[in-house]
Amino acid sequence: MTAKALSALSSVIDPELRLPITELGMVGEIQEEPNSVKVVIKLTIVGCPAAQSIERDVNEALAAKFKHVEVVMTTMSQEERAGLTKKLRGDRPAKFNPFVEKDNLTKVIFVSSGKGGVGKSTLTVNLAVALAGLGQKVGLLDADIFGYSVPQLMGVNQAPTKVDHLMLPPIAHEVKLISIGFFVSDNQPVAWRGPMLHRAVEQFLTDVFWGDLDFLLVDLPPGTGDVAISLGQLLPKAQSLVVTTPQHTAAIVAERSGAIGLQTGQSVLGVIENMSYLPSENGPIEIFGAGGGEAVAKRLSELSGSEVQVLGKIPLSQGLRESADKALPIVISNPQDTAAIEIVKIVKKLIATPRGLSGKSLKITPS
């Protein structure tokens, strides 16, 4: 009988796949006695980065029910890995983009800006972490191939685990991450032309096991280049979140990033004005001027034919800059910071935005 051991092991969650190891074929032979147990645990690959945490969790789970515990760590066979890959993909083909499925309910959000230096990536990371902190299942795709920064901002340097041809994205602060930065050593630049850029972002969608997500945030490169066009084609149901600063010139450029999304079929979810003002005892100091966010929202409303709102104005914050340098998002490191408070307000608006269910199956069987 192995019921007591299996019951204990069902509480052990694989840190990469976020599923019980008993459902992933990771539990091998079990020798169970009333007061002792010996269990074989099969890791997905040799050198699995989660090996130590899995072994620790298995020992703790079994020690709660048995006096004597022995855990033997081994590795899946090629056949077992193929079975796991098939289980994770279901009946889908090997190369599959789950976000174009008719029944997929993930909210895909492109975070874009017309120019660099407006804090788009730092904002994207904090939005993702804040969403996860409010109980959402979140993925973050760093599509800024040339200027990748998500690994640094999230404090992750671990490459994805590969199970056959399926990549398991690293997870930080409960957010699943993928970035070209995980595959580049020593901060080397990426010098690719259009076709290679398209292939890279396509693989980030088809070859990564994202699982069931509530939100997929995509950190777009600044401007209106190849990557923005490719992702617009690969993720036609996405919505655009445009980041600008208050400056008139920055707003004009930001308008273009929202307009390119309209051309490739994305609706505009809203505008965020970053570096909006400097808080002070005498009231906000508008270092970079005012009105940029409203100007972008007004113009995109005219172009789209529907109202586009400014979802929030994030103040200048020394804490926000320091948290980025320390690779710890400010919504975690200092949630009382004025910037963190405004980011959480924006996130709550994103969660409250209705999902578009038209034409989608709710997978409910009438009784």
Side-chain angles (χ1 to χ4, degrees):
M1 294 293 291
T2 61
K4 189 162 70 168
L6 284 173
S7 174
L9 293 171
S10 67
S11 67
V12 179
I13 306 299
D14 182 279
E16 294 178 305
L17 293 167
R18 298 303 167 100
L19 291 169
I21 61 172
T22 50
E23 296 180 14
L24 297 172
M26 296 176 67
V27 179
E29 181 183 1
I30 299 176
Q31 298 176 18
E32 181 179 319
E33 301 292 338
N35 294 314
S36 65
V37 65
K38 179 179 179 180
V39 175
V40 175
I41 300 297
K42 302 177 182 180
L43 300 172
T44 53
I45 60 169
V46 176
C48 173
Q52 290 185 337
S53 63
I54 291 174
E55 184 175 10
R56 181 196 64 233
D57 292 347
V58 166
N59 272 291
E60 289 179 356
L62 293 173
K65 295 193 175 185
F66 297 92
K67 185 175 181 180
H68 301 289
V69 174
E70 182 179 354
V71 178
V72 178
M73 304 297 288
T74 183
T75 308
M76 288 182 174
S77 65
Q78 180 57 45
E79 183 179 0
E80 289 169 332
R81 275 194 295 274
L84 174 58
T85 302
K86 184 176 180 181
K87 178 182 178 65
L88 295 174
R89 288 198 181 278
D91 297 326
R92 297 165 178 146
K95 300 288 184 179
F96 178 77
N97 177 0
F99 304 106
V100 297
E101 273 194 312
K102 184 178 180 180
D103 295 338
N104 188 283
L105 296 179
T106 301
K107 291 183 182 179
V108 181
I109 299 176
F110 291 166
V111 186
S112 64
S113 66
K115 59 194 292 293
V118 301
K120 171 184 55 62
S121 295
T122 301
L123 176 58
T124 305
V125 161
N126 277 280
L127 290 173
V129 173
L131 281 166
L134 291 175
Q136 304 296 299
K137 290 175 285 186
V138 185
L140 173 52
L141 192 164
D142 183 0
D144 194 349
I145 304 297
F146 298 136
Y148 57 88
S149 59
V150 166
Q152 293 78 21
L153 291 169
M154 293 289 269
V156 179
N157 55 18
Q158 165 195 330
T161 300
K162 287 194 69 175
V163 180
D164 287 344
H165 298 294
L166 191 65
M167 290 187 284
L168 310 183
I171 299 175
H173 311 301
E174 298 304 312
V175 177
K176 294 182 177 181
L177 310 170
I178 197 69
S179 170
I180 197 66
F182 295 140
F183 306 95
V184 177
S185 60
D186 299 325
N187 199 32
Q188 291 295 308
V190 178
W192 290 348
R193 293 186 182 273
M196 292 185 69
L197 295 172
H198 178 90
R199 181 60 182 144
V201 295
E202 184 177 35
Q203 283 188 283
F204 286 166
L205 297 172
T206 62
D207 294 6
V208 173
F209 178 68
W210 290 106
D212 182 24
L213 297 180
D214 295 307
F215 285 87
L216 175 68
L217 269 58
V218 182
D219 183 24
L220 290 182
T224 57
D226 290 331
V227 171
I229 296 170
S230 291
L231 280 166
Q233 296 168 343
L234 293 167
L235 296 167
K237 295 185 290 184
Q239 295 177 293
S240 296
L241 192 59
V242 181
V243 181
T244 186
T245 56
Q247 294 167 274
H248 176 66
T249 52
I252 292 174
V253 180
E255 177 191 312
R256 297 176 201 152
S257 68
I260 193 68
L262 293 173
Q263 291 179 22
T264 54
Q266 285 74 52
S267 61
V268 181
L269 182 58
V271 175
I272 297 176
E273 187 179 273
N274 198 23
M275 307 181 195
S276 185
Y277 59 90
L278 179 67
S280 75
E281 294 180 357
N282 299 319
I285 302 173
E286 296 172 335
I287 292 177
F288 297 118
E294 286 82 0
V296 175
K298 180 180 178 181
R299 181 56 178 153
L300 291 177
S301 296
E302 294 170 354
L303 291 172
S304 66
S306 58
E307 184 181 4
V308 175
Q309 296 183 342
V310 177
L311 297 180
K313 296 186 176 184
I314 301 173
L316 284 161
S317 165
Q318 182 175 339
L320 184 59
R321 192 271 303 165
E322 291 175 344
S323 70
D325 289 344
K326 295 176 182 177
L328 186 61
I330 197 167
V331 293
I332 292 177
S333 64
N334 187 6
Q336 300 307 313
D337 185 275
T338 52
I341 291 170
E342 186 65 20
I343 289 170
V344 172
K345 288 180 181 178
I346 294 169
V347 160
K348 289 179 179 179
K349 292 178 182 178
L350 297 180
I351 295 173
T353 303
R355 297 175 188 264
L357 301 179
S358 176
K360 297 178 180 178
S361 168
L362 297 183
K363 302 181 181 179
I364 297 174
T365 303
S367 59

